[in-house]
Amino acid sequence: VLPEGLAGGLLWANNAFVYQPSRLALETALRCNPPPSWITPNGVTTMSALLLVPTLAALHTGYPMVAAGLVVLHDVLDRADGALARTSTAEHDREFGAYYDAMCDKVFQCGMLYYLLSMGYGAEMGPVWVLAAAGTMAMQMAQGVIRTQDYISVARGEPGGCAGDW
């Protein structure tokens, strides 16, 4: 477990030097070269989530570098769906898209962690890693429930919601 100061610094650096520049680059590229209309933000989200299957297959069959490449591709697609949603002029449900993206991310993350734990990787990493992975999965599931409740409330026109913009 990283000290809070180091963890905060790493998160800040990732946001400042990786996330924001890649977001800006993707949005600029999409504004200059819009994709065909059949490529939708939710379609990109679906492709990103479906990468879980070949990623786990690559891990299971002994190709960890292929799996790592697929995880990177998942991350790029996860960023691209949001950039496409922000730059698209096509009509689409942004509320559902944000919800769907968050749920697909949770499925991918929990699927990867569950696989790693179930295949015994936790024993190699030690009990702290197992607890961190299990805690992360529990938190992702709890956030998923809260986010679903909020989405349903908003869809019904009810005020409030506590999920925020995760």
Side-chain angles (χ1 to χ4, degrees), residues 50-64:
L50 289 176
L51 282 175
L52 178 63
V53 175
T55 302
L56 295 180
L59 281 173
H60 194 71
T61 56
Y63 293 96

PDB file of all heavy atoms in Angstrom, residues 50-64:
ATOM      1  N   LEU A  50     -16.102  -6.117 -24.164  1.00  0.00           N
ATOM      2  CA  LEU A  50     -15.950  -7.461 -24.726  1.00  0.00           C
ATOM      3  C   LEU A  50     -14.494  -7.909 -24.808  1.00  0.00           C
ATOM      4  O   LEU A  50     -14.217  -9.104 -24.932  1.00  0.00           O
ATOM      5  CB  LEU A  50     -16.609  -7.536 -26.103  1.00  0.00           C
ATOM      6  CG  LEU A  50     -18.143  -7.484 -26.099  1.00  0.00           C
ATOM      7  CD1 LEU A  50     -18.678  -7.457 -27.530  1.00  0.00           C
ATOM      8  CD2 LEU A  50     -18.733  -8.648 -25.310  1.00  0.00           C
ATOM      9  N   LEU A  51     -13.567  -6.964 -24.705  1.00  0.00           N
ATOM     10  CA  LEU A  51     -12.146  -7.335 -24.700  1.00  0.00           C
ATOM     11  C   LEU A  51     -11.783  -8.174 -23.478  1.00  0.00           C
ATOM     12  O   LEU A  51     -10.715  -8.786 -23.443  1.00  0.00           O
ATOM     13  CB  LEU A  51     -11.261  -6.092 -24.764  1.00  0.00           C
ATOM     14  CG  LEU A  51     -11.137  -5.456 -26.138  1.00  0.00           C
ATOM     15  CD1 LEU A  51     -10.340  -4.157 -26.056  1.00  0.00           C
ATOM     16  CD2 LEU A  51     -10.492  -6.415 -27.117  1.00  0.00           C
ATOM     17  N   LEU A  52     -12.663  -8.223 -22.478  1.00  0.00           N
ATOM     18  CA  LEU A  52     -12.416  -9.075 -21.317  1.00  0.00           C
ATOM     19  C   LEU A  52     -12.240 -10.529 -21.748  1.00  0.00           C
ATOM     20  O   LEU A  52     -11.347 -11.218 -21.240  1.00  0.00           O
ATOM     21  CB  LEU A  52     -13.573  -8.960 -20.309  1.00  0.00           C
ATOM     22  CG  LEU A  52     -13.460  -9.834 -19.063  1.00  0.00           C
ATOM     23  CD1 LEU A  52     -12.247  -9.449 -18.234  1.00  0.00           C
ATOM     24  CD2 LEU A  52     -14.731  -9.728 -18.236  1.00  0.00           C
ATOM     25  N   VAL A  53     -13.029 -11.001 -22.687  1.00  0.00           N
ATOM     26  CA  VAL A  53     -12.987 -12.411 -23.097  1.00  0.00           C
ATOM     27  C   VAL A  53     -11.634 -12.779 -23.710  1.00  0.00           C
ATOM     28  O   VAL A  53     -10.975 -13.711 -23.227  1.00  0.00           O
ATOM     29  CB  VAL A  53     -14.170 -12.747 -24.032  1.00  0.00           C
ATOM     30  CG1 VAL A  53     -14.051 -14.166 -24.561  1.00  0.00           C
ATOM     31  CG2 VAL A  53     -15.493 -12.547 -23.303  1.00  0.00           C
ATOM     32  N   PRO A  54     -11.153 -12.079 -24.751  1.00  0.00           N
ATOM     33  CA  PRO A  54      -9.839 -12.466 -25.274  1.00  0.00           C
ATOM     34  C   PRO A  54      -8.694 -12.176 -24.308  1.00  0.00           C
ATOM     35  O   PRO A  54      -7.665 -12.865 -24.339  1.00  0.00           O
ATOM     36  CB  PRO A  54      -9.707 -11.655 -26.572  1.00  0.00           C
ATOM     37  CG  PRO A  54     -10.680 -10.549 -26.452  1.00  0.00           C
ATOM     38  CD  PRO A  54     -11.781 -11.052 -25.575  1.00  0.00           C
ATOM     39  N   THR A  55      -8.870 -11.186 -23.442  1.00  0.00           N
ATOM     40  CA  THR A  55      -7.825 -10.898 -22.450  1.00  0.00           C
ATOM     41  C   THR A  55      -7.674 -12.073 -21.499  1.00  0.00           C
ATOM     42  O   THR A  55      -6.550 -12.537 -21.227  1.00  0.00           O
ATOM     43  CB  THR A  55      -8.149  -9.610 -21.675  1.00  0.00           C
ATOM     44  OG1 THR A  55      -8.273  -8.529 -22.599  1.00  0.00           O
ATOM     45  CG2 THR A  55      -7.070  -9.280 -20.666  1.00  0.00           C
ATOM     46  N   LEU A  56      -8.802 -12.578 -20.992  1.00  0.00           N
ATOM     47  CA  LEU A  56      -8.740 -13.726 -20.090  1.00  0.00           C
ATOM     48  C   LEU A  56      -8.256 -14.975 -20.822  1.00  0.00           C
ATOM     49  O   LEU A  56      -7.499 -15.777 -20.263  1.00  0.00           O
ATOM     50  CB  LEU A  56     -10.110 -13.972 -19.446  1.00  0.00           C
ATOM     51  CG  LEU A  56     -10.610 -12.866 -18.517  1.00  0.00           C
ATOM     52  CD1 LEU A  56     -11.972 -13.236 -17.945  1.00  0.00           C
ATOM     53  CD2 LEU A  56      -9.616 -12.553 -17.421  1.00  0.00           C
ATOM     54  N   ALA A  57      -8.653 -15.133 -22.077  1.00  0.00           N
ATOM     55  CA  ALA A  57      -8.186 -16.285 -22.863  1.00  0.00           C
ATOM     56  C   ALA A  57      -6.673 -16.215 -23.048  1.00  0.00           C
ATOM     57  O   ALA A  57      -5.980 -17.237 -22.926  1.00  0.00           O
ATOM     58  CB  ALA A  57      -8.894 -16.329 -24.210  1.00  0.00           C
ATOM     59  N   ALA A  58      -6.151 -15.032 -23.309  1.00  0.00           N
ATOM     60  CA  ALA A  58      -4.703 -14.873 -23.479  1.00  0.00           C
ATOM     61  C   ALA A  58      -3.974 -15.196 -22.176  1.00  0.00           C
ATOM     62  O   ALA A  58      -2.938 -15.874 -22.185  1.00  0.00           O
ATOM     63  CB  ALA A  58      -4.377 -13.460 -23.949  1.00  0.00           C
ATOM     64  N   LEU A  59      -4.505 -14.731 -21.061  1.00  0.00           N
ATOM     65  CA  LEU A  59      -3.890 -15.058 -19.765  1.00  0.00           C
ATOM     66  C   LEU A  59      -3.932 -16.561 -19.507  1.00  0.00           C
ATOM     67  O   LEU A  59      -2.941 -17.158 -19.081  1.00  0.00           O
ATOM     68  CB  LEU A  59      -4.608 -14.325 -18.628  1.00  0.00           C
ATOM     69  CG  LEU A  59      -4.260 -12.867 -18.428  1.00  0.00           C
ATOM     70  CD1 LEU A  59      -5.187 -12.254 -17.377  1.00  0.00           C
ATOM     71  CD2 LEU A  59      -2.801 -12.710 -18.007  1.00  0.00           C
ATOM     72  N   HIS A  60      -5.082 -17.148 -19.776  1.00  0.00           N
ATOM     73  CA  HIS A  60      -5.292 -18.563 -19.468  1.00  0.00           C
ATOM     74  C   HIS A  60      -4.414 -19.484 -20.322  1.00  0.00           C
ATOM     75  O   HIS A  60      -4.025 -20.564 -19.868  1.00  0.00           O
ATOM     76  CB  HIS A  60      -6.772 -18.923 -19.649  1.00  0.00           C
ATOM     77  CG  HIS A  60      -7.132 -20.233 -19.043  1.00  0.00           C
ATOM     78  ND1 HIS A  60      -7.188 -20.434 -17.684  1.00  0.00           N
ATOM     79  CD2 HIS A  60      -7.448 -21.420 -19.617  1.00  0.00           C
ATOM     80  CE1 HIS A  60      -7.521 -21.686 -17.446  1.00  0.00           C
ATOM     81  NE2 HIS A  60      -7.682 -22.306 -18.597  1.00  0.00           N
ATOM     82  N   THR A  61      -4.113 -19.058 -21.525  1.00  0.00           N
ATOM     83  CA  THR A  61      -3.321 -19.897 -22.418  1.00  0.00           C
ATOM     84  C   THR A  61      -1.840 -19.533 -22.416  1.00  0.00           C
ATOM     85  O   THR A  61      -1.083 -20.034 -23.254  1.00  0.00           O
ATOM     86  CB  THR A  61      -3.874 -19.848 -23.856  1.00  0.00           C
ATOM     87  OG1 THR A  61      -3.913 -18.482 -24.287  1.00  0.00           O
ATOM     88  CG2 THR A  61      -5.261 -20.459 -23.930  1.00  0.00           C
ATOM     89  N   GLY A  62      -1.426 -18.671 -21.496  1.00  0.00           N
ATOM     90  CA  GLY A  62      -0.006 -18.382 -21.339  1.00  0.00           C
ATOM     91  C   GLY A  62       0.549 -17.282 -22.217  1.00  0.00           C
ATOM     92  O   GLY A  62       1.734 -17.292 -22.547  1.00  0.00           O
ATOM     93  N   TYR A  63      -0.273 -16.324 -22.579  1.00  0.00           N
ATOM     94  CA  TYR A  63       0.187 -15.190 -23.384  1.00  0.00           C
ATOM     95  C   TYR A  63      -0.023 -13.874 -22.621  1.00  0.00           C
ATOM     96  O   TYR A  63      -0.868 -13.058 -22.995  1.00  0.00           O
ATOM     97  CB  TYR A  63      -0.545 -15.150 -24.723  1.00  0.00           C
ATOM     98  CG  TYR A  63      -0.205 -16.317 -25.610  1.00  0.00           C
ATOM     99  CD1 TYR A  63      -1.022 -17.446 -25.641  1.00  0.00           C
ATOM    100  CD2 TYR A  63       0.942 -16.299 -26.396  1.00  0.00           C
ATOM    101  CE1 TYR A  63      -0.705 -18.527 -26.449  1.00  0.00           C
ATOM    102  CE2 TYR A  63       1.266 -17.379 -27.201  1.00  0.00           C
ATOM    103  CZ  TYR A  63       0.440 -18.489 -27.217  1.00  0.00           C
ATOM    104  OH  TYR A  63       0.767 -19.557 -28.011  1.00  0.00           O
ATOM    105  N   PRO A  64       0.736 -13.653 -21.549  1.00  0.00           N
ATOM    106  CA  PRO A  64       0.514 -12.455 -20.728  1.00  0.00           C
ATOM    107  C   PRO A  64       0.791 -11.146 -21.467  1.00  0.00           C
ATOM    108  O   PRO A  64       0.153 -10.130 -21.171  1.00  0.00           O
ATOM    109  CB  PRO A  64       1.462 -12.638 -19.550  1.00  0.00           C
ATOM    110  CG  PRO A  64       2.520 -13.571 -20.038  1.00  0.00           C
ATOM    111  CD  PRO A  64       1.831 -14.473 -21.025  1.00  0.00           C
TER     112      PRO A  64
END
